[in-house]
Structures are given as structure tokens and as C-alpha cells.
Amino acid sequence: MAAVAVKDVSSYLASKQSEETDKDLSGEWAQLEELHNKKLWHQLTLKLETFVKHQSLQKGTNLLQLYHNFIHVFENKINPLSLVEILAHVVVQFEDKREAIEFLEKTEAKVKSSNEAVALCKVLSGQIMLEQLGDQEGTKKIIEEVEKILDDADGITAVHGRYYLLASQFYRLQGKHADYYRTALRYLGCVELSDLSISEQEQHAFFLGLAALLGEGVYNLGELLAHPVLETLKATDKAWLVDLLYAFNTGNIVLFEKMKPQWSSIADLAAQELKLRQKISLLCLMEMTFKRPATDRQLSFEEISRETRLPVNEVELLVMKALAQGLVRGAIDQVASNVHMTWVQPRVLDKQQISSMVQRLDCWCKDVNSMELLLETKAHEFLTL
């Protein structure tokens, strides 16, 4: 980066006002000077947070000039987190990205009184490393450092969203589908969908859908299916992915096989066909257990084979996998060739599954009422035994 010529604040602000042809922008420079002269640091900070986003300042080294000639003079008066938010726009104009990282590292020392500000500095460095320098090892180190800082934070901070975005981008590049699924969902939980463009929403929805299918140990798809981000796919040529997610969530193997022409067009899904079949078979077993009333959870190998479309001699292995992964609890009776299920892992339910649960609750209420009537009519007999 070329050296930035530093002027005194008054000369710099005066020159900017005289050079500016846009009257509105010239007026904003005058407001900055007035607030600085009056030492109204809070108001000046708020003004700078919007001013640095002005379109005309995004060219060349305008923001770097603003920092070195103006902000640098009173940066110790600015709220640490607000300072880093402002500098997030400034670092974009460094031609040498390693110099930008050094600048952020120096800023960390200046804002060390605020853990959030330090975390944001690290996240900004991580974004440059990942997107500009392709340094995945350095990015991984930063993600681990920021995670420790945010674990100690009270509640959700302004930095969490940016951290989850960085982490999700890193895990996607690494091909860690389960980690991507977890962090990308958390990122969407920290932002308003309306703040994202339609193309960004579609991209998040598509990548999340693939990660849900391919992620190791990801069996709770209800949270994604309930998220409005999936609505953006329904008007695109990728609408089939939403239907496929519903098929997996309900263990619908017939629909999964019927949709093979669509999902096999995605190389990552086609390459993992065996794993996808194993996953939907486990989800099918979970759904079978969920649908049964608590008093009728005896599943025969033949029933499981019919629903999962697996040979009978592979059913026992499927049940053992489900038990080992904590998806269900129960006992296998090899002699009788059946499984007695006692518990199924809780999941976020879709409307159809909730409807099924309501019906079972109605049956349970009727059973309770019947028992109550029985006790009322037979109580005398019990008491006189």
C-alpha cells in the first residue's frame, strides 16, 4: 500500500469540504468537524458508523485517508466495538491483505478492554485469510480462538453472527457437512432474512439442504424444515431439494427412490448414495417408532424390512446402528425376530408429525378417562377386598 500522507485534522476536514462537489456530502464533512470540535465523541461515533458506508468513500484509499487523518486522532475516545465496526470498512481498502491483518492485530491491542471488539478483530482477520489469502490453517486457529471468547460472553452478541458465518464458510470449504449445518443454522438465527439478498438466501438454503443430507450424525432435520429460508428454493429449479428433505425427515424411502433423477444430478449426493440410503433407513426406523403408541412398540424384522426396503438379514444391523447412535432405545429379540422400542430421540416435528402426536394424545386422554370411570364404578369393590 502506498504511504498515506497525514495532515492535521482541521486542514484535512477543510480540504475535504472544499474539494467535495456533492453538497450533501460536503455538509456531512462539516458535521464531522463540528462534532469533533465540540468533542461530542458519542455522536461523532454514531455519525462515523453511517458515514463510512457512503458510496463515494468506497473508491481508492478514501477510507484509509479518513482513518489516518481523522479517526486515528481520537480512536481512544470511541467505544471499542464501534471502532472495530468502523474499521471493518477501512481494512477493505488495503491492497496488501497481509498488511490489513497486521493492522487488525494492532487494533486488537487498542481494544483489549472489550472481548467483543477483540473477537470481531479476529473474525475480520479470519475473513481475509479465508477469502483473500486462502489460508485455511490460519482461519481454523482464529475460529478456535473466537469460539473460546464467545463461550464466555453473556447471551448472543453482535459478533456471533459474523463468527458463525466465517465458521460455516470454513467448514463448507473443508467438506465438514455436520459442522457447516450447525454453524450455518446458528448464523441464520443471528440475522434477519430480510437483510440478506434473495440470491444469498437461496445459496444458504441450498447448501444447508445438502449438509443436512450429507452431515454425519445429522438426523434432526425439523429445525431446517421449519426455517423460512427454505421458502426461497420453492420458486427455483432446486425446489426438489425441499421435497427430498421432507422425505428424509419422515423416512419416506419410496419418495427418495422416486426422486433419484433429481438428487443424483448433484455430484456430492450421487457419490454418497450408499450413505444416503443408510441415513434414510435409520430415519425410517425412527419414524416407525415415533408413530407407534407407547403400548405397541414391538416391531418385527419383517415390518422393518418392508418399510426400509432392506433384506430381513440386514434389519438387525440397522437396529444395532440406531441403538449405537442413540437414535432409539430398546431391546432386540433375535429368537422372535423383533425389536421392542422404549424411546426415540426427540426431534423438531413438522405439521404432519405434530398432527400424529395430537391424535395419540387424544387416545391417551380417552384411556385416562376410561380408567377414571372404571375406578369410580369399581372403587367400592377395591376398597372392600
Side-chain angles (χ1 to χ4, degrees), residues 3 44 46 55 77 119 140 182 229 234 288 296-297 304 335 338 347 362 377:
L44 182 55
L46 296 177
Q55 191 60 40
K77 309 289 187 184
K140 179 183 177 183
R182 174 176 52 84
V229 73
K234 291 184 177 179
M288 287 179 71
D296 181 25
R297 284 191 172 171
I304 297 172
V335 176
N338 61 37
R347 294 183 292 163
D362 286 341
T377 56

mmCIF file of all heavy atoms in Angstrom, residues 3 44 46 55 77 119 140 182 229 234 288 296-297 304 335 338 347 362 377:
data_model
loop_
_atom_site.group_PDB
_atom_site.id
_atom_site.type_symbol
_atom_site.label_atom_id
_atom_site.label_comp_id
_atom_site.label_asym_id
_atom_site.label_seq_id
_atom_site.Cartn_x
_atom_site.Cartn_y
_atom_site.Cartn_z
ATOM 1 N N ALA A 3 2.130 4.936 0.900
ATOM 2 C CA ALA A 3 2.099 5.655 2.177
ATOM 3 C C ALA A 3 0.993 6.695 2.150
ATOM 4 O O ALA A 3 0.745 7.352 1.137
ATOM 5 C CB ALA A 3 3.439 6.321 2.426
ATOM 6 N N LEU A 44 -20.287 11.655 17.452
ATOM 7 C CA LEU A 44 -19.333 11.528 16.353
ATOM 8 C C LEU A 44 -19.177 10.064 15.937
ATOM 9 O O LEU A 44 -19.090 9.744 14.750
ATOM 10 C CB LEU A 44 -17.979 12.106 16.768
ATOM 11 C CG LEU A 44 -16.863 12.104 15.715
ATOM 12 C CD1 LEU A 44 -17.315 12.801 14.432
ATOM 13 C CD2 LEU A 44 -15.603 12.772 16.272
ATOM 14 N N LEU A 46 -21.479 7.670 16.253
ATOM 15 C CA LEU A 46 -22.703 7.286 15.528
ATOM 16 C C LEU A 46 -22.682 7.812 14.095
ATOM 17 O O LEU A 46 -23.090 7.111 13.162
ATOM 18 C CB LEU A 46 -23.943 7.816 16.262
ATOM 19 C CG LEU A 46 -24.199 7.244 17.666
ATOM 20 C CD1 LEU A 46 -25.413 7.920 18.293
ATOM 21 C CD2 LEU A 46 -24.405 5.731 17.605
ATOM 22 N N GLN A 55 -21.201 5.726 -0.475
ATOM 23 C CA GLN A 55 -20.721 5.119 -1.717
ATOM 24 C C GLN A 55 -19.435 5.768 -2.237
ATOM 25 O O GLN A 55 -18.523 5.092 -2.716
ATOM 26 C CB GLN A 55 -21.818 5.208 -2.780
ATOM 27 C CG GLN A 55 -21.555 4.375 -4.026
ATOM 28 C CD GLN A 55 -21.417 2.889 -3.744
ATOM 29 O OE1 GLN A 55 -22.148 2.339 -2.933
ATOM 30 N NE2 GLN A 55 -20.457 2.248 -4.395
ATOM 31 N N LYS A 77 -11.191 7.499 22.101
ATOM 32 C CA LYS A 77 -12.434 8.057 22.663
ATOM 33 C C LYS A 77 -13.665 7.271 22.189
ATOM 34 O O LYS A 77 -14.770 7.473 22.682
ATOM 35 C CB LYS A 77 -12.608 9.524 22.229
ATOM 36 C CG LYS A 77 -11.410 10.416 22.475
ATOM 37 C CD LYS A 77 -11.198 10.696 23.949
ATOM 38 C CE LYS A 77 -10.079 11.732 24.145
ATOM 39 N NZ LYS A 77 -9.808 11.947 25.583
ATOM 40 N N ALA A 119 -12.814 -10.088 19.594
ATOM 41 C CA ALA A 119 -13.370 -11.198 18.803
ATOM 42 C C ALA A 119 -13.694 -10.739 17.389
ATOM 43 O O ALA A 119 -13.423 -11.456 16.411
ATOM 44 C CB ALA A 119 -14.626 -11.749 19.485
ATOM 45 N N LYS A 140 -8.671 -21.625 10.759
ATOM 46 C CA LYS A 140 -9.070 -22.603 11.773
ATOM 47 C C LYS A 140 -8.622 -22.154 13.169
ATOM 48 O O LYS A 140 -9.386 -22.232 14.143
ATOM 49 C CB LYS A 140 -8.451 -23.959 11.446
ATOM 50 C CG LYS A 140 -8.796 -25.047 12.459
ATOM 51 C CD LYS A 140 -8.093 -26.354 12.125
ATOM 52 C CE LYS A 140 -8.392 -27.421 13.179
ATOM 53 N NZ LYS A 140 -7.654 -28.676 12.904
ATOM 54 N N ARG A 182 -24.550 -27.065 11.465
ATOM 55 C CA ARG A 182 -24.758 -26.494 12.804
ATOM 56 C C ARG A 182 -24.476 -24.989 12.815
ATOM 57 O O ARG A 182 -25.281 -24.198 13.320
ATOM 58 C CB ARG A 182 -23.827 -27.218 13.796
ATOM 59 C CG ARG A 182 -23.819 -26.635 15.198
ATOM 60 C CD ARG A 182 -22.950 -27.475 16.128
ATOM 61 N NE ARG A 182 -21.617 -27.689 15.589
ATOM 62 C CZ ARG A 182 -20.610 -26.816 15.716
ATOM 63 N NH1 ARG A 182 -20.800 -25.670 16.353
ATOM 64 N NH2 ARG A 182 -19.424 -27.088 15.212
ATOM 65 N N VAL A 229 -36.095 -19.840 5.422
ATOM 66 C CA VAL A 229 -35.101 -19.708 4.341
ATOM 67 C C VAL A 229 -35.372 -20.718 3.229
ATOM 68 O O VAL A 229 -35.073 -20.462 2.052
ATOM 69 C CB VAL A 229 -33.658 -19.868 4.890
ATOM 70 C CG1 VAL A 229 -33.351 -21.331 5.239
ATOM 71 C CG2 VAL A 229 -32.629 -19.342 3.890
ATOM 72 N N LYS A 234 -38.355 -22.783 -3.230
ATOM 73 C CA LYS A 234 -39.574 -23.335 -3.824
ATOM 74 C C LYS A 234 -39.914 -22.738 -5.183
ATOM 75 O O LYS A 234 -40.613 -23.361 -5.971
ATOM 76 C CB LYS A 234 -40.747 -23.165 -2.852
ATOM 77 C CG LYS A 234 -40.603 -24.055 -1.615
ATOM 78 C CD LYS A 234 -41.804 -23.975 -0.705
ATOM 79 C CE LYS A 234 -41.659 -24.933 0.483
ATOM 80 N NZ LYS A 234 -42.811 -24.856 1.402
ATOM 81 N N MET A 288 -40.988 -45.003 12.310
ATOM 82 C CA MET A 288 -41.839 -46.148 12.663
ATOM 83 C C MET A 288 -42.048 -46.205 14.177
ATOM 84 O O MET A 288 -43.159 -46.436 14.661
ATOM 85 C CB MET A 288 -41.177 -47.455 12.202
ATOM 86 C CG MET A 288 -41.204 -47.698 10.706
ATOM 87 S SD MET A 288 -40.364 -49.239 10.270
ATOM 88 C CE MET A 288 -41.538 -50.451 10.915
ATOM 89 N N ASP A 296 -47.527 -50.121 22.042
ATOM 90 C CA ASP A 296 -47.399 -51.028 20.894
ATOM 91 C C ASP A 296 -46.138 -50.692 20.105
ATOM 92 O O ASP A 296 -46.198 -50.243 18.970
ATOM 93 C CB ASP A 296 -48.641 -50.913 19.997
ATOM 94 C CG ASP A 296 -48.573 -51.860 18.802
ATOM 95 O OD1 ASP A 296 -47.866 -52.883 18.907
ATOM 96 O OD2 ASP A 296 -49.196 -51.549 17.777
ATOM 97 N N ARG A 297 -45.004 -50.897 20.734
ATOM 98 C CA ARG A 297 -43.743 -50.603 20.064
ATOM 99 C C ARG A 297 -42.922 -51.870 19.821
ATOM 100 O O ARG A 297 -41.708 -51.873 19.896
ATOM 101 C CB ARG A 297 -42.942 -49.580 20.865
ATOM 102 C CG ARG A 297 -43.512 -48.173 20.702
ATOM 103 C CD ARG A 297 -42.627 -47.110 21.256
ATOM 104 N NE ARG A 297 -43.131 -45.779 20.905
ATOM 105 C CZ ARG A 297 -42.636 -44.656 21.414
ATOM 106 N NH1 ARG A 297 -41.648 -44.692 22.294
ATOM 107 N NH2 ARG A 297 -43.128 -43.487 21.045
ATOM 108 N N ILE A 304 -39.997 -53.983 9.633
ATOM 109 C CA ILE A 304 -38.898 -53.049 9.388
ATOM 110 C C ILE A 304 -38.335 -53.251 7.982
ATOM 111 O O ILE A 304 -38.049 -52.288 7.260
ATOM 112 C CB ILE A 304 -37.787 -53.232 10.447
ATOM 113 C CG1 ILE A 304 -38.329 -52.907 11.843
ATOM 114 C CG2 ILE A 304 -36.591 -52.331 10.133
ATOM 115 C CD1 ILE A 304 -37.380 -53.245 12.974
ATOM 116 N N VAL A 335 -34.481 -64.370 18.790
ATOM 117 C CA VAL A 335 -35.261 -65.605 18.653
ATOM 118 C C VAL A 335 -36.611 -65.305 17.993
ATOM 119 O O VAL A 335 -37.032 -65.990 17.041
ATOM 120 C CB VAL A 335 -35.467 -66.288 20.022
ATOM 121 C CG1 VAL A 335 -36.353 -67.524 19.868
ATOM 122 C CG2 VAL A 335 -34.132 -66.653 20.639
ATOM 123 N N ASN A 338 -37.784 -59.783 16.517
ATOM 124 C CA ASN A 338 -38.456 -58.498 16.667
ATOM 125 C C ASN A 338 -37.644 -57.584 17.576
ATOM 126 O O ASN A 338 -36.654 -57.989 18.179
ATOM 127 C CB ASN A 338 -39.895 -58.657 17.171
ATOM 128 C CG ASN A 338 -39.952 -59.316 18.538
ATOM 129 O OD1 ASN A 338 -39.099 -59.067 19.394
ATOM 130 N ND2 ASN A 338 -40.953 -60.171 18.751
ATOM 131 N N ARG A 347 -37.080 -34.862 18.269
ATOM 132 C CA ARG A 347 -36.756 -34.084 17.074
ATOM 133 C C ARG A 347 -37.731 -32.920 16.942
ATOM 134 O O ARG A 347 -38.801 -32.929 17.540
ATOM 135 C CB ARG A 347 -36.865 -34.956 15.808
ATOM 136 C CG ARG A 347 -35.848 -36.073 15.719
ATOM 137 C CD ARG A 347 -36.001 -36.810 14.384
ATOM 138 N NE ARG A 347 -37.246 -37.557 14.304
ATOM 139 C CZ ARG A 347 -37.774 -38.002 13.166
ATOM 140 N NH1 ARG A 347 -37.185 -37.744 12.019
ATOM 141 N NH2 ARG A 347 -38.897 -38.690 13.173
ATOM 142 N N ASP A 362 -54.944 -37.558 22.111
ATOM 143 C CA ASP A 362 -56.395 -37.738 22.246
ATOM 144 C C ASP A 362 -56.715 -39.145 22.733
ATOM 145 O O ASP A 362 -57.567 -39.341 23.623
ATOM 146 C CB ASP A 362 -57.087 -37.479 20.903
ATOM 147 C CG ASP A 362 -57.153 -36.005 20.548
ATOM 148 O OD1 ASP A 362 -57.008 -35.183 21.475
ATOM 149 O OD2 ASP A 362 -57.333 -35.687 19.359
ATOM 150 N N THR A 377 -66.520 -46.650 39.224
ATOM 151 C CA THR A 377 -67.534 -47.712 39.310
ATOM 152 C C THR A 377 -67.073 -48.899 40.125
ATOM 153 O O THR A 377 -67.892 -49.593 40.767
ATOM 154 C CB THR A 377 -67.920 -48.180 37.901
ATOM 155 O OG1 THR A 377 -66.733 -48.598 37.197
ATOM 156 C CG2 THR A 377 -68.609 -47.076 37.125
#
